[in-house]
Amino acid sequence: MLYILKGYVKKETGCNIMQAYKTKTAAKKRYNKMIESGCYELVEILEKENK
């Protein structure tokens, strides 16, 4: 299973982010940092089966 962390930067000039993690714990840690920073919106963790 792969956990895809996806988020959008609030500023027009910023770039969006999409990162893959092998564990849900690692994805959740990064998710929390993104939320705390206040720079991102629509942050979500998607689960994808590893084929």
Side-chain angles (χ1 to χ4, degrees):
M1 187 73 76
L2 278 178
Y3 300 92
I4 311 295
L5 181 63
K6 194 172 147 186
Y8 299 93
V9 179
K10 287 182 180 177
K11 299 175 188 168
E12 291 291 324
T13 56
C15 60
N16 298 331
I17 187 168
M18 188 180 283
Q19 295 177 324
Y21 294 90
K22 290 182 181 178
T23 66
K24 194 166 192 169
T25 306
K28 192 69 177 164
K29 275 185 188 175
R30 180 69 175 128
Y31 172 90
N32 289 338
K33 283 185 181 177
M34 288 171 70
I35 296 297
E36 286 172 15
S37 75
C39 296
Y40 298 92
E41 59 187 0
L42 301 172
V43 181
E44 59 184 338
I45 297 174
L46 308 171
E47 294 182 12
K48 185 176 181 185
E49 253 186 69
N50 211 355
K51 293 182 181 180

